[in-house]
Amino acid sequence: MGLFSLLAARATPTGVQVLYGLWMFLMVLFWDLLVARLMVARGRAPGLARHGPWVERAAGLLLIGLAFGVVLA
């Protein structure tokens, strides 16, 4: 909800807000489905385990950057 409130101003029409919400829902859904698919794919588990810590660090840096952006906005 926090990211949504940054994207949609008070003057944004309700229909556009609904489209924003639907778009965000679908993007998160497809991302989660992709990650789940990659985790169960044959032969991917060892590579995922090997690179997992680096992926987590990159995601952490991305979230910290997003937090700074929200605080400074």
Side-chain angles (χ1 to χ4, degrees), residues 12-36:
T12 304
T14 304
V16 174
Q17 290 183 18
V18 169
L19 289 175
Y20 283 163
L22 182 63
W23 176 79
M24 286 183 194
F25 168 78
L26 289 173
M27 291 302 107
V28 170
L29 175 66
F30 289 136
W31 174 255
D32 290 347
L33 290 173
L34 174 68
V35 169

Side-chain angles (χ1 to χ4, degrees), residues 47-61:
L48 201 60
R50 185 173 53 248
H51 298 296
W54 289 106
V55 171
E56 289 178 6
R57 288 183 184 116
L61 287 173

